[in-house]
């Protein structure tokens, strides 16, 4: 149900370590926001677009992933045309689209487990000062992935129950029971986790 | 944080993912489709409280960032965070926190039903609309260069839908509170 946005591939960008990609994304966004020059922004847009489309996604998949964000950017650009001079609007659109392409490229070439390793390292300082437990974060992510299909099945069951009784299907009448039924499981799951000693508390 | 809190946070994040899978409903009189997911912020604060609600959304945003398509319509990944509405997504945790603070302050056992409805509605509107737009709109304006006033005026189009969501969240939160109260008591 929740298939990652990672795309299998062997490109040089796939082989780059996650940290390098994330630092590159950060540096790129800082430098693109520092410039107004179309001579810098247009090549940045073309390069990151080329990078993104060279990762092995089909054109349709590639566009589907960034389409919604681009739609928002273009709508805002259309508004900006009435308020700002044209070169400025062009700079804004190119900058944002370049960033979105690059960010989408990072997402498409990094596996969830690679991200998780990096997050665990980033959380180390917080763990040292006793603010949180890095292992808890991976446990929580695992719990979400494990329970989404179950909760969705429960949603379907509630919907079927509505249908069987001829009730209209409204979010209001579904969300309440869905949340209560789901959160009632919390105690059982927490007891199971503690019984297995996963958190060593 | 005990294990039960951790599980509640994870389960709520999972509920928010599921709300994104529910097909959106379009109402005749407002142009914006109502996705159940964007009610999640109000629901999280009102149902599991400030701290756990905010953590549930931090967890959810983390899932977005590592490339899981958990946003409604199967969106996700760093591209969404880099786009114009990134501020709204990053603002969710803060919005859930404020919603929770207000809900914890104003809702007690033994109050009249209408006061509880009022409290949940106030929490949903202040946290889920005022705070969320207070973060999302300036962010959008800074990123896209759209003047702040224009960005704010444009967002007004979404307010009727959001008020409707606050009303639905209020009714749902009160139903959960009556059936299975989880909201922490604030001294």
């Amino acid at each position: 149900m929740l298939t990652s946005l990672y795309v299998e591939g062997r490109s040089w960008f796939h082989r780059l370590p996650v940290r390098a990609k994330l630092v590159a994304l950060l540096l790129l966004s800082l430098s693109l926001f520092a410039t107004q020059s179309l001579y810098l922004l247009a090549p940045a847009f073309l390069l990151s677009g080329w990078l993104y489309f060279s990762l092995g996604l089909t054109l349709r998949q590639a566009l589907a992933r960034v389409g919604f964000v681009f739609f928002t950017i273009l709508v805002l650009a259309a508004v900006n045309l009435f308020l700002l001079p044209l070169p400025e609007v062009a700079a804004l659109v190119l900058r944002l689209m370049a960033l979105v392409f690059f960010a989408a490229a990072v997402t498409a070439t990094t596996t969830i487990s690679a991200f998780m390793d990096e997050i665990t390292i980033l959380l180390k300082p917080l763990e040292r000062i006793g603010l949180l437990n890095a292992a808890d974060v991976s446990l929580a992510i695992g719990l979400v992935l494990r329970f989404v299909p179950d909760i969705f099945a429960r949603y379907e069951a509630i919907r079927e129950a509505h249908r069987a009784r001829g009730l209209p299907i409204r979010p209001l009448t579904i969300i309440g029971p869905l949340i209560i039924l789901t959160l009632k499981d919390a105690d059982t799951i927490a007891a199971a986790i503690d019984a297995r000693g996963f958190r060593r508390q | 944080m005990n294990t039960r809190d951790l599980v509640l946070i994870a389960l709520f994040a999972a509920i928010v993912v599921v709300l994104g899978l529910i097909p959106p409903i379009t109402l005749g009189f407002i142009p914006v489709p109502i996705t159940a997911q964007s009610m999640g912020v109000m629901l999280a604060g009102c149902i599991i409280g400030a701290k756990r609600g905010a953590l549930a959304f931090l967890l959810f945003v983390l899932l977005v960032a590592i490339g899981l398509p958990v946003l409604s319509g199967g969106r996700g990944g760093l591209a969404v965070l880099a786009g114009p509405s990134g501020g709204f997504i990053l603002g969710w945790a803060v919005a859930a926190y404020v919603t929770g603070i207000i809900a914890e302050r104003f809702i007690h056992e033994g109050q009249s039903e209408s006061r509880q409805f009022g409290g949940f509605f106030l929490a949903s509107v202040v946290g889920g609309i005022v705070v969320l737009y207070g973060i999302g709109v300036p962010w959008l304006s800074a990123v896209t260069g759209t003047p702040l006033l224009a960005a704010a005026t444009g967002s007004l189009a979404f307010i009727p839908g959001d008020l409707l969501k606050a009303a639905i969240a209020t009714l749902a939160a009160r139903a959960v509170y009556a059936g299975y109260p989880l909201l922490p008591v604030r001294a």
Side-chain angles (χ1 to χ4, degrees):
Chain A
M1 174 167 287
L2 284 180
T3 40
S4 153
L5 294 171
Y6 171 72
V7 187
E8 211 59 59
R10 309 194 135 266
S11 72
W12 65 275
F13 206 63
H14 276 86
R15 289 194 302 264
L16 225 53
V18 205
R19 194 171 315 167
K21 284 187 271 195
L22 290 175
V23 170
L25 178 61
L26 185 70
L27 291 178
L28 184 73
S29 54
L30 289 176
S31 48
L32 289 187
F33 273 103
T35 178
Q36 277 290 340
S37 157
L38 289 178
Y39 296 107
L40 291 170
L41 291 170
F45 167 72
L46 291 174
L47 273 175
S48 54
W50 168 79
L51 172 70
Y52 178 59
F53 284 104
S54 67
L55 295 174
L57 281 159
T58 65
L59 190 66
R60 229 173 124 180
Q61 282 176 320
L63 288 176
R65 285 168 175 228
V66 292
F68 188 84
V69 182
F70 276 11
F71 176 74
T72 334
I73 295 175
L74 290 175
V75 168
L76 287 159
V79 176
N80 280 344
L81 279 179
F82 292 99
L83 303 160
L84 303 172
L86 185 63
E88 207 170 309
V89 178
L92 290 161
V93 170
L94 288 175
R95 175 192 296 139
L96 269 183
M97 287 190 163
L99 269 179
V100 169
F101 272 142
F102 195 85
V106 176
T107 301
T109 56
T110 311
T111 57
I112 306 255
S113 60
F115 269 123
M116 282 315 299
D117 292 345
E118 199 57 34
I119 287 165
T120 313
I121 295 168
L122 285 172
L123 291 176
K124 273 275 144 59
L126 293 178
E127 190 172 68
R128 217 162 287 146
I129 58 171
L131 211 61
L132 57 74
N133 186 346
D136 280 355
V137 179
S138 358
L139 176 60
I141 291 184
L143 281 173
V144 176
L145 299 183
R146 165 67 182 77
F147 284 102
V148 163
D150 285 356
I151 299 172
F152 191 71
R154 186 167 282 156
Y155 160 75
E156 299 268 300
I158 299 173
R159 212 179 52 165
E160 285 308 309
H162 275 63
R163 212 170 267 159
R165 294 183 191 171
L167 295 173
I169 292 155
R170 294 213 186 94
L172 178 61
T173 53
I174 292 188
I175 288 173
L178 181 69
I179 292 176
I180 294 181
L181 285 172
T182 303
L183 295 185
K184 269 195 169 165
D185 285 346
D187 290 317
T188 325
I189 299 165
I193 290 172
D194 284 338
R196 285 164 180 76
F198 280 149
R199 296 182 70 223
R200 311 190 188 289
Q201 282 188 344
Chain B
M1 190 168 61
N2 60 33
T3 310
R4 183 170 184 260
D5 288 333
L6 181 79
V7 175
L8 280 175
I9 290 163
L11 285 184
F12 211 96
I15 290 173
V16 177
V17 176
V18 171
L19 293 181
L21 300 170
I22 299 179
I25 310 154
T26 348
L27 293 174
F29 55 94
I30 19 179
V32 191
I34 309 281
T35 61
Q37 191 164 47
S38 49
M39 267 185 308
V41 168
M42 306 169 182
L43 291 170
C46 288
I47 290 171
I48 54 175
K51 197 181 156 202
R52 292 182 299 203
L55 287 172
F57 265 95
L58 281 182
L59 181 61
F60 182 76
V61 173
L62 190 65
L63 296 175
V64 175
I66 64 175
L68 284 162
V70 290
L71 289 165
S72 58
R75 290 172 301 128
L78 292 166
V80 189
L81 296 175
S85 19
F88 285 94
I89 295 170
L90 295 170
W92 278 341
V94 185
Y97 190 79
V98 176
T99 308
I101 290 274
I102 299 173
E104 288 170 17
R105 278 266 146 81
F106 282 84
I107 282 117
H108 307 284
E109 244 175 285
Q111 276 173 325
S112 70
E113 210 176 309
S114 52
R115 287 203 52 179
Q116 290 182 348
F117 280 125
F120 281 130
F121 189 69
L122 180 78
S124 301
V125 170
V126 175
I129 302 180
V130 178
V131 172
L132 188 60
Y133 282 73
I135 297 168
V137 171
W139 180 298
L140 183 139
S141 161
V143 169
T144 61
T146 313
L148 190 60
L149 194 67
T153 323
S155 319
L156 286 180
F158 296 93
I159 298 290
D162 284 331
L163 286 173
L164 190 70
K165 283 173 196 171
I168 299 175
T170 299
L171 296 172
R174 150 77 197 158
V176 176
Y177 190 71
Y180 191 63
L182 288 163
L183 199 63
V185 182
R186 189 160 281 264

